[in-house]
Amino acid sequence: LTIMMTDLRGFTAISERLPAETDKRIINIFLEIMTEIILKYQGTIDEFIGDAILAIFGAPILQEDDAQRAVACALEMQQAMDDVNARYREAGYPEVSMGIGINTGDVVVGNIGSSKRTKYGVVGRHVNLTSRIETYTVGGQILISESTLQECDGLLRIDDQMEVMPKGVREPISIYEVGGIGGKFKIALPEKQPVELIPLTQPVTVRFTFLEGKHTGKDLYTATITKMHDRIAEVQTT
């Protein structure tokens, strides 16, 4: 199967300062739009996990283009974030962004649970790996595994590549940032433009910690921000 994991960036911090009923409306707007796109590409929604989505392509019916449809779906979902945020602005809600991780591999799929409650679901190391890949994304980004890249047979526009060491994996793996897909889909995100960082007249000293998956590390470090542009910064560490 090809597995997709999505997650909204910054939503946890937003939800902490908003009423629970508002949180529910924000999530429902997002899920309503994304569900339609996933179903359009014949994906199966396995689970909503708060503001995250777990979807699979290839079950209950396996098709030759499952990985391609998953990537095309992810690209259209990123495009649809403009509609999501337009509805948020109209309602007076803060804007959000989404990260998506995609991976292809052998899994166990079927009715999973107990004698009192079961659900159609998917389990296996490739589900866990998809989740790990998704944690490396920033807002607006789609990262895929090498197995998904191979299944897409040269149709993808790859904007970046990195080697990472996810938790639970013995050796580093390569993951790829997707910017578009050709063939019968022809969907693309705007190409990245070079960014010129602006030097700060007064450098800013900050303290930071490393993210371990989605959890903050225990150790604090000191650094200095010397240049910035929008959400990008040049940081010098000691």
Side-chain angles (χ1 to χ4, degrees), residues 25-55:
R25 293 194 195 102
I26 290 174
I27 291 175
N28 284 346
I29 289 171
F30 167 74
L31 295 179
E32 178 184 352
I33 292 175
M34 296 305 157
T35 296
E36 292 298 322
I37 298 172
I38 293 170
L39 296 180
K40 172 184 172 181
Y41 286 91
Q42 302 172 55
T44 299
I45 297 173
D46 178 83
E47 200 165 2
F48 294 137
I49 312 164
D51 59 311
I53 303 172
L54 170 59

Side-chain angles (χ1 to χ4, degrees), residues 60-98:
I61 300 173
L62 187 68
Q63 301 182 59
E64 290 185 357
D65 65 346
D66 287 324
Q68 297 171 21
R69 283 185 290 104
V71 173
C73 178
L75 288 162
E76 188 164 325
M77 289 168 71
Q78 288 291 15
Q79 290 179 335
M81 287 304 295
D82 289 339
D83 296 332
V84 171
N85 282 318
R87 291 182 62 176
Y88 286 170
R89 288 192 298 271
E90 185 178 336
Y93 302 150
E95 295 186 19
V96 296
S97 59
M98 173 177 60

Side-chain angles (χ1 to χ4, degrees), residues 10 97 116 142:
S97 59
K116 295 185 179 294
I142 302 166

Side-chain angles (χ1 to χ4, degrees), residues 65 67-69 71-72 75 148-158 178-187:
D65 65 346
Q68 297 171 21
R69 283 185 290 104
V71 173
L75 288 162
T148 301
L149 178 67
Q150 292 172 353
E151 289 288 326
C152 290
D153 196 25
L155 294 175
L156 305 183
R157 188 190 90 204
I158 300 300
V178 177
I181 185 170
K184 61 185 177 183
F185 300 104
K186 294 181 174 59
I187 306 172

